Amino acid sequence: WRPPCKTTDVSFFFPSQVGGECRLSTESSLRRCKTPDGKICSGRGKCDCGTCICEATDPGKFYGPRCECHNWVCVTYNGKTCNGTCHCGSCMCDNNNNRGLVTGLFCECDDSECLDEDTGEVCGGHGQCYCGNCYCAAGWHGDKCEFQCDISPWESKRRCTSPDGKICSNRGTCVCGECNCYDVDPSGNWGDIHGDTCECDERNCHATYDRYTDDFCSGHGQCNCGRCDCKEGWAGKKCEHPLSCSLSAESSLKKCQGKSSLPCFGRGQCQCGQCTCFPPGDSRVYGKNCECDNRQCEGIGGEVCGGHGYCSCGRCICRDGWFGKLCQFPRACGMSDAQSKALCETADGIVCSGKGSCHCGQCICSPQDWWVSGEYCECDDRECDKYDGLICTGNGLCNCGNCECWDGWTGNACEIWEGTEY
């Protein structure tokens, strides 16, 4: 015989209701219904003898012991809700193999991609897996950390160190003492970056602010490990200035700058004080200094000003009843503040990730923080790649930290033109 286990739940011995009559005092009843923040039934229901009776709303029904859950708050990821099961506003990942390989706030990470096919171990037992990618321990490399270096990590680092003291000149990855340079050539052939320590960057030889051609040194010189050796009659860092021009190279560039810090606003080529806007034939880029770029009025899908306005020199002029950078927000909507707020909440219950305001069920990200974007203001556009100091080279849009290039452009920063030659 054993004595009964202790319990603090007196209702185990004394039911709260007998014969339909409540045996709890008002104070005890409310205490059972109270949430840690002091709300009765989370403010979403009524307390009946220590039990919460939750309210029903149009989007769904509140539930849980204290009405703390509602099944419509889970956000979507790549068009799927949770990529798993939504429970009480949080994603419950489906892990049928009980190894916990599906992870992430939205269950978007599949760590089974890190499993070594031969051993079945995560990253071969020589690294850590993060969202399907292996980060190898010192001395190991490979997609699954399956290869071991035959030199020490210190020797590997020494061999990969460039003359300026950087590992692979910050333009490549060091693998067992050898630099794998980042290849920006979409064809997969010889890339613009090369050298034992990736010290040569032929992109430096592209014509001044002419990101739209593969011509090196403006077509007037030879590129030598990122430095232009100009032909006779041409001068400038990129051989962009004809010596026959009556203007000096400095005066020429100054005339092309206008109000921008970049000649031709970074959208064209400057020769003898005049801008040629690129790409040729695209009427969306125009102006004396290529200052107008109507591509900025297009959304990811190519629609101009969301279909609710027109574009004027790269800015949307919205019709009555619409506002926003791309005229994407209606000024009035048919939903309550509570319904609107619920649609703006992230999985952890924060409205617009704490970086914006909610209007008609849509997040308006803080205009002071230009880099904040995303459906829930969860993205940091500072993570988007730059080229010539411009995000996505001005040839695409930054979408949640990744460049979405316009037709004809490719590369991590949309810096490579794939269209027809001109």
Side-chain angles (χ1 to χ4, degrees):
W1 176 87
R2 293 182 178 178
C5 296
K6 293 183 179 180
T7 178
T8 56
D9 187 2
V10 296
S11 63
F12 180 81
F13 301 102
F14 304 102
S16 58
Q17 293 193 34
V18 175
E21 181 180 351
C22 183
R23 300 188 58 176
L24 297 176
S25 65
T26 302
E27 182 181 355
S28 297
S29 176
L30 292 177
R31 186 168 61 248
R32 290 190 177 194
C33 294
K34 188 178 295 185
T35 58
D37 59 0
K39 293 183 179 180
I40 302 299
C41 299
S42 303
R44 300 163 178 159
K46 297 181 180 180
C47 184
D48 181 15
C49 197
T51 301
C52 285
I53 301 175
C54 305
E55 297 175 351
T57 60
D58 290 339
K61 183 181 185 301
F62 293 104
Y63 63 99
R66 294 177 181 83
C67 305
E68 70 274 20
C69 305
H70 46 128
N71 56 5
W72 42 269
V73 74
C74 279
V75 297
T76 59
Y77 180 81
N78 283 346
K80 297 181 180 180
T81 301
C82 291
N83 201 25
T85 303
C86 180
H87 175 72
C88 197
S90 298
C91 292
M92 307 295 291
C93 302
D94 297 329
N95 279 294
N96 298 327
N97 54 12
N98 296 321
R99 295 192 62 176
L101 295 176
V102 180
T103 60
L105 184 62
F106 309 99
C107 304
E108 73 277 18
C109 298
D110 186 1
D111 288 351
S112 63
E113 297 178 8
C114 291
L115 294 178
D116 187 294
E117 295 178 359
D118 295 329
T119 64
E121 290 186 275
V122 174
C123 300
H126 307 296
Q128 298 292 325
C129 183
Y130 177 74
C131 208
N133 295 298
C134 283
Y135 293 83
C136 304
W140 294 87
H141 66 100
D143 291 340
K144 307 292 176 60
C145 305
E146 66 271 35
F147 301 117
Q148 187 174 18
C149 296
D150 55 1
I151 59 176
S152 69
W154 298 274
E155 177 63 16
S156 174
K157 180 180 178 180
R158 187 191 68 79
R159 294 184 186 182
C160 289
T161 301
S162 56
D164 58 3
K166 299 175 181 176
I167 302 299
C168 299
S169 305
N170 285 346
R171 302 188 190 108
T173 304
C174 182
V175 178
C176 287
E178 294 185 3
C179 286
N180 290 334
C181 302
Y182 300 140
D183 189 353
V184 295
D185 184 350
S187 68
N189 297 324
W190 179 82
D192 287 334
I193 300 173
H194 62 101
D196 290 341
T197 57
C198 308
E199 69 277 11
C200 297
D201 189 349
E202 306 299 351
R203 293 177 301 176
N204 293 332
C205 290
H206 286 182
T208 303
Y209 302 113
D210 181 0
R211 303 178 303 279
Y212 316 104
T213 176
D214 288 332
D215 287 339
F216 293 115
C217 304
S218 306
H220 308 301
Q222 179 70 36
C223 186
N224 182 16
C225 194
R227 188 189 73 252
C228 283
D229 295 328
C230 301
K231 296 178 182 178
E232 186 176 353
W234 293 88
K237 190 176 180 181
K238 312 288 177 66
C239 305
E240 74 280 8
H241 188 70
L243 293 179
S244 58
C245 177
S246 59
L247 299 173
S248 67
E250 292 76 14
S251 297
S252 174
L253 290 177
K254 187 173 182 179
K255 285 193 68 173
C256 289
Q257 279 182 312
K259 297 179 180 179
S260 173
S261 60
L262 298 176
C264 306
F265 276 72
R267 303 182 185 115
Q269 185 177 17
C270 176
Q271 280 193 354
C272 202
Q274 291 187 334
C275 288
T276 302
C277 302
F278 287 95
D282 193 337
S283 60
R284 295 174 298 178
V285 183
Y286 59 97
K288 179 182 177 182
N289 300 116
C290 307
E291 67 272 17
C292 295
D293 186 356
N294 285 355
R295 297 174 300 179
Q296 301 299 324
C297 293
E298 298 179 6
I300 297 297
E303 192 173 32
V304 176
C305 298
H308 307 298
Y310 66 93
C311 188
S312 175
C313 197
R315 297 183 62 184
C316 283
I317 309 299
C318 303
R319 296 202 306 262
D320 289 344
W322 295 88
F323 72 101
K325 183 180 179 181
L326 297 176
C327 304
Q328 70 271 44
F329 300 115
R331 292 195 179 277
C333 58
M335 64 175 64
S336 66
D337 289 343
Q339 291 172 327
S340 175
K341 179 182 176 183
L343 293 174
C344 291
E345 287 182 341
T346 57
D348 51 7
I350 299 176
V351 174
C352 299
S353 305
K355 301 175 183 176
S357 59
C358 184
H359 173 75
C360 290
Q362 291 180 281
C363 286
I364 302 176
C365 303
S366 172
Q368 287 79 20
D369 299 329
W370 61 265
W371 59 86
V372 177
S373 67
E375 186 179 358
Y376 299 93
C377 302
E378 75 279 17
C379 302
D380 189 339
D381 286 350
R382 290 174 297 185
E383 297 176 0
C384 270
D385 289 313
K386 293 182 180 180
Y387 190 59
D388 277 352
L390 297 175
I391 291 178
C392 303
T393 324
N395 298 322
L397 296 176
C398 185
N399 182 19
C400 214
N402 294 300
C403 289
E404 299 279 351
C405 303
W406 287 314
D407 289 342
W409 302 97
T410 186
N412 292 334
C414 306
E415 77 276 21
I416 301 171
W417 171 248
E418 286 188 320
T420 55
E421 297 295 328
Y422 42 81

